[in-house]
Amino acid sequence: MANEMILEVEDLTVAFDGFKAVDTLTLYVEKDELRVVIGPNGAGKTTLLDLICGKTKASKGSIKFKDKELTQMAEHQIVRTGVGRKFQTPSIYENLTVFQNLEVSFPRGRGVFASWAFKRTADVVERVHQVGEEIFLTDHLEREAGLLSHGQKQWLEIGMLLMQEPELLMLDEPIAGMSVREREQTAELLNRICKNRSMIVIEHDMEFVKRIAHKVTVMHQGKILAEGSMDKVQADERVIEVYLGH
């Protein structure tokens, strides 16, 4: 199969106090695809990620990841199936080194207590160095994470997810607050790490979207307004209206 679907979201709806944040939404993501979701504020983009990772429960509809139904699973079970999620604000252990942050994220060492119990074996060290290189932090492995720049903290958190080798990685506005150089490096990073996994990225910066997206989904009022290549989506009258109308 050329187009193997890793994620199948069908008729997904969630309502908060009668307001449909996500409304009968259907979305398919292929294996090794980097999908960017754009749309005005309040379009339901973050809620969509919340639904996929189990933070929010759907009112109706189905979310299948590798043919497993996620809607009835708890968040930690969804993580175990291979879904990794990064929120807008980085959650790293500020007082641990970069190395230790990556180390505690290794699946065997889930949680700080579990990680104290496990020995620093060769496979963990090797994986930490491998990921450290991917996220441009090779020279900072012994630095305390709290001393990193804002952009480096974002990379570290992506690295912490990569330690778990997710097959679907979801990032919410990964370049918010980054310098121009860091944005460029992040585009390079995402293009590299999507080689053997699927990704869903929510982003506002259109220049950045152009550099990374295989396909763009435009959300508006909880529904999908348009989908396709960046060029196709940008030329869509409805998309132009939604963006310029705000």
Side-chain angles (χ1 to χ4, degrees):
M1 256 172 88
N3 302 12
E4 192 188 330
M5 294 301 165
I6 195 161
L7 182 74
E8 299 168 89
V9 175
E10 293 180 339
D11 288 329
L12 194 64
T13 299
V14 68
F16 304 116
D17 301 323
F19 166 71
K20 288 184 175 174
V22 170
D23 187 1
T24 56
L25 182 137
T26 295
L27 173 85
Y28 301 102
V29 177
E30 292 175 17
K31 200 175 176 315
D32 302 343
E33 177 190 346
L34 199 164
R35 173 74 57 94
V36 181
V37 180
I38 65 173
N41 286 332
K45 304 182 299 293
T46 298
T47 305
L48 173 62
L49 299 197
D50 288 346
L51 287 160
I52 297 169
C53 77
K55 184 171 181 252
T56 299
K57 289 288 168 219
S59 313
K60 68 177 223 283
S62 158
I63 303 169
K64 284 200 176 79
F65 172 67
K66 297 193 303 181
D67 287 331
K68 290 190 197 85
E69 181 58 55
L70 302 186
T71 48
Q72 303 308 315
M73 287 189 194
E75 284 187 72
H76 68 274
Q77 293 171 312
I78 293 174
V79 168
R80 284 201 196 112
T81 65
V83 177
R85 160 85 185 274
K86 179 187 172 334
F87 295 89
Q88 283 169 332
T89 43
S91 54
I92 57 174
Y93 302 105
E94 300 261 338
N95 55 346
L96 296 183
T97 64
V98 169
F99 190 101
Q100 289 164 328
N101 267 281
L102 293 171
E103 183 178 35
V104 300
S105 306
F106 193 76
R108 216 172 42 227
R110 288 239 184 261
V112 175
F113 293 107
S115 67
W116 283 334
F118 87 78
K119 298 281 179 280
R120 190 174 276 192
T121 53
D123 60 334
V124 180
V125 174
E126 187 186 354
R127 184 85 190 116
V128 167
H129 282 284
Q130 201 179 348
V131 169
E133 193 176 335
E134 285 197 329
I135 58 174
F136 310 113
L137 294 179
T138 298
D139 299 340
H140 303 281
L141 288 176
E142 295 312 317
R143 272 187 90 174
E144 212 170 282
L147 303 175
L148 298 173
S149 74
H150 171 75
Q152 289 171 326
K153 284 179 183 174
Q154 300 279 12
W155 295 338
L156 175 56
E157 199 182 14
I158 291 173
M160 289 164 77
L161 288 169
L162 290 176
M163 288 295 293
Q164 299 161 23
E165 308 212 30
E167 287 174 74
L168 174 64
L169 185 57
M170 302 190 292
L171 309 176
D172 201 342
E173 297 190 30
I175 60 165
M178 283 192 183
S179 69
V180 173
R181 176 81 187 106
E182 286 174 336
R183 286 169 177 228
E184 284 172 5
Q185 287 178 287
T186 304
E188 184 189 318
L189 170 67
L190 299 190
N191 282 324
R192 192 169 59 229
I193 62 178
C194 77
K195 291 286 184 283
N196 49 4
R197 65 177 54 82
S198 304
M199 290 171 68
I200 300 176
V201 180
I202 292 176
E203 196 41 75
H204 284 292
D205 184 304
M206 292 306 157
E207 283 310 304
F208 184 75
V209 174
K210 269 185 195 155
R211 297 183 60 169
I212 63 165
H214 297 170
K215 195 172 181 183
V216 178
T217 295
V218 186
M219 283 184 71
H220 180 49
Q221 294 174 343
K223 291 178 179 286
I224 289 181
L225 185 66
E227 206 164 62
S229 68
M230 186 65 183
D231 292 338
K232 180 187 159 192
V233 160
Q234 274 189 312
D236 190 306
E237 289 300 328
R238 293 163 309 166
V239 175
I240 293 166
E241 194 180 333
V242 162
Y243 270 104
L244 298 180
H246 280 62

